[in-house]
Amino acid sequence: MSSPTYLSPSFLSLHTSTTTRGGHLHLSGNLRRRRPRHMSGLLLLRAQAARLDIDDRDSGGEVITAVTTTVIALFLVRTLLLACIIARGGVALIRIACRVAGRSVAGVAGVIFSAVNARCVWCLDQAAKGRSCTGTFLGDVAVAAMANSWRILVQGITSLVFVTAAAAGEYVRPPVSPLVLTPHDKPASHPQQVHISIVGEKNMRISWVTDDLKAPSIVEYGKSPGKYTASATGEHVTYRYFLYKSGAIHHVTIGPLEPSTTYHYRCGNAGDEFTLRTPPANLPVEFAVVGDLGQTKWTESTLRHVSEGDYDMLLLPGDLSYADTQQPLWDTFGRLVQPLASARPWMVTEGNHEIETLPVVEFAPFVAYNARWRMPYDAGASPSGTNLYYSFDVAGGAVHVVMLGSYVDFEVGSEQRAWLERDLADVDRRRTPWVVALLHAPWYNTNEAHQGEGERMRRAMESLLYEARVDVVFSGHVHAYERFTRIYNNEADSRGPMYITIGDGGNREGLALKFIKDHKSAHLSEFREASFGHGRLRIVNETSAVWTWHRNDDQFATVRDEVWLTSLAAADPARVAAGRPVDELFGPQSPWDIPGRAVFPSRPICAFGWAGWKISYPPRSPGEPPPRPLPFPPPPRVCAGSGEFLHAHGVPLATFLRFVRQATAPAISYLRPHALPLRSGRGVEEEEEGQKNTGHIKCCNYQIP
C-alpha cells in the first residue's frame, strides 16, 4: 500500500478519500499556501499531477475525471467573476449617465417650471388689474382657466410635499396663506413701489419703479404739500431674469434734510404726492422690526399693525418678497409695502429667498434684490463696498446699526469679517451708547426649523460682537418669535448681546410651530411663541431702551412680550457721560430739555394708570400727519408711570405731576386697571383733587391748570 497522495487545486477546499486497489487518492486544500502567485490554476494542477505516486494504474481514470471537473469549475468561476466585473462597470456607467441626464433634465424642467409659473403669475396679476391678456374675451377666459389650473397644481404639489414630509416624521409647516397680489392700474409713467432709505446723516434715497423706461429720475420735494422748493436727479437701472425684464428702477438721493421734519415729494414729475418724515437727530428713537415679511394675508395684518403706531424707521432682517425667481412678485411686493415704505425709511438686509439662482438661467445671486433695494453701503464712516452688508447711524450717532449678510462669505479672512472688525472698531461708545446688529439666519435657535444653520457664522463673528459690546442682535429665517437672554458662546453672559428671532412677519410658508423642549439653549430662551407679529425697539436715552413684541393673531396687535434693556456701554445706568443732569423720572435726558424740538403733540389725550398707561389720539383730519408720540420711556402699552417704576426709581408723585403739567395736553385721565400698593411708604407724597394718600391712585380726572 502506497502512502497517501494530496492533490490541491488552488480554488478547491475539498478533502475526499477514494480507495483503490493499491493506494489512496486524497484531494485536499492544504497545499494552497504554496501556490506561486504567477502560476495559473491549470499549470498548478499539472505540476502537482506530475508529482503523484500512483501504484495502481486503474486509478488514472478517476484522476482524469477529477482534473476535468476542476478545470470546468475553474472556468465557470472565472467566467462568473468576469461577468461581475462587466456588470459593475455597466452599472457605474449607467449611474453616471443617469446623474448627467437627471441633472440636465432637472435643470431644463426647472427652467420650464419657472417660465410657466412666471407667466401664470403675470396673467393672474393682469386679471387682478382688470386688464386683458390676449385682447379677446374668450382668450382671456381660456388663459385665466389655465393660470388658475396651474396655481391649483402647484398648491397640490406643495401639499403633497407636506404630506410626504409628515409621513417621514420631518418638520412640517402649516398650510400656506393666500398671496396678496397688489395691482398697478395707473399709466406707465406713474411711479410705483416707492420706498425710502437713509443715506448718511442728512440725506434720503428715494427708490421707485416705472413701466416707462424713459421716465425721468427726478424727485421734487418741500415742507408744504404741493410746494416743492428743491429737486434732485439720480439714475435708473433695469435687469433681466430669464424671460422677465424689469421696469426702470429709479434711485435718487435728496438732501440735506432737517431731522424730525415732514417732507412732501413727487417722483418723476408724475403721479401722486408722497410724504416722509426724517428720523430725529437725538434720542429717543423708535424702530419697528419685521422679519420674513412676504405678501400674504398675514403680511397685510402685520403692516396694518405697524402703521397703527408711530415709529421712526423700519428694520427688516431678510426675506422680503418671497419672489423665489418669480420676478413679478417683486413688483406686487413693492406695491403692497409702498404706503409704509414711502413714509419711513426701510433698512433691509438679504435673506435666503433673495438669492434666486437657477441652473442655466441665472447664476448670479441677489440680482433683483441689489437692483431694487439699494442700501447705503457706499455711505457712512465705513463703506462696505457691497449692498449685502453695511452699517449706518441714527439719532445723531447715538445708535449704530450693523446689517450683516448671512449668505456672503463670513469666515476668518473674508471681506465681510474684515469689514465688520473695522466698522466696530470705529464706534466710539462714549458718543454711541447703542449698537444693534441684524442678520438673517439666527445664531441661537431652539425651534426645530433651521436648526444650526447660523452656527458657522456665529463661530466666525460672535467674538467681534461680544468684544464691541453689541446690545441686541435681531434675526429672522425661523418663522416664529423667540427672545434669549444676553449670551456669549452658548452661555448666559451679562456683557453679551440679547438675541431676538423675529421671522414671523407673514411669509407664505407658514409658522415654525415646534420648539425643542430639551434643546441645549432652552435654558437661555426667555420667551418663545409661534405667532405672526412685529416688534418695536424704543431707545429712550443713553442708558435705557424697551423692546416689545406685538402678536398678530388677534384682531388688534397685542403686546405679548416686553423687556427693558440697559446699554452695555453704560458702566452705571444712573450716570451720563455727557454730564447732563439725571432727571428724576426719565433718566439722563429729560424730554423737555431737547432744544428746538416739539416733543409733545398738539392735541393728545393721555390716560395714565398706576399699573400702566397708554397714549391715544383723537381722529385726524384727512391729510393731517400723525403726531409724534410723547417721548416717554415705554411704548404705548406699559408704563413709566406705573407704581413699580416709580417705586424702583424713587420718584415721588409730585415729580410725575410736575412733568405732566409741563405738557401741552389739555386733559389727563388717571385710570386704575389694578391697584398696586406702595412699598416703604414711597411714591405718593402729595394729595391731589380726587386722590388720597393711601398707597393707591384712585380713578379720577385731573385737569391741568
Side-chain angles (χ1 to χ4, degrees), residues 121 124 151 155 176-182 294-297 299-300 321-322 326 329 332 336 506-509:
V121 170
L124 293 173
R151 177 180 58 82
Q155 291 181 347
V176 297
S177 178
L179 290 179
V180 176
L181 301 178
T182 308
Q295 44 189 316
T296 66
K297 292 295 184 180
T299 308
E300 282 190 325
S321 69
Y322 283 79
Q326 304 173 40
L329 291 182
T332 57
L336 175 65
N507 60 85
R508 62 175 171 78
E509 297 174 338

Side-chain angles (χ1 to χ4, degrees), residues 224-285:
S224 300
K227 297 180 180 179
Y228 309 125
T229 58
S231 65
T233 58
E235 61 180 7
H236 76 270
V237 298
T238 61
Y239 73 93
R240 285 186 175 273
Y241 191 97
F242 194 43
L243 300 178
Y244 174 88
K245 182 178 180 180
S246 72
I249 305 170
H250 305 263
H251 300 290
V252 177
T253 300
I254 64 174
L257 306 175
E258 298 178 11
S260 301
T261 303
T262 298
Y263 287 89
H264 306 269
Y265 65 99
R266 188 174 66 161
C267 305
N269 296 326
D272 302 326
E273 180 181 83
F274 298 92
T275 301
L276 66 84
R277 193 185 71 212
T278 56
N282 305 97
L283 298 176
V285 65

Side-chain angles (χ1 to χ4, degrees), residues 399-421:
V399 185
H400 185 69
V401 183
V402 179
M403 310 291 280
L404 300 176
S406 294
Y407 303 96
V408 191
D409 190 13
F410 45 70
E411 300 288 355
V412 176
S414 65
E415 293 183 2
Q416 181 177 194
R417 192 183 188 280
W419 167 81
L420 178 62
E421 191 171 4

Side-chain angles (χ1 to χ4, degrees), residues 90-115:
V91 170
L93 292 175
I94 292 173
R95 290 177 62 185
I96 294 173
C98 288
R99 285 184 179 181
V100 174
R103 290 180 179 178
S104 301
V105 171
V108 173
V111 172
I112 297 174
F113 184 89
S114 177

Side-chain angles (χ1 to χ4, degrees), residues 154 240 483 491:
V154 171
R240 285 186 175 273
R483 174 175 58 82
E491 295 293 339

Side-chain angles (χ1 to χ4, degrees), residues 419-472:
W419 167 81
L420 178 62
E421 191 171 4
R422 294 192 306 270
D423 181 80
L424 294 177
D426 291 339
V427 177
D428 183 358
R429 294 306 295 269
R430 293 172 299 180
R431 176 181 175 272
T432 307
W434 292 93
V435 179
V436 177
L438 284 88
L439 49 93
H440 188 62
W443 293 355
Y444 292 96
N445 169 34
T446 66
N447 199 289
E448 286 189 8
H450 305 299
Q451 263 299 310
E453 291 186 16
E455 181 64 15
R456 287 179 54 242
M457 190 178 187
R458 183 193 69 81
R459 292 179 179 178
M461 289 186 166
E462 185 180 24
S463 60
L464 297 180
L465 272 60
Y466 179 77
E467 293 167 1
R469 295 294 181 261
V470 172
D471 295 286
V472 59

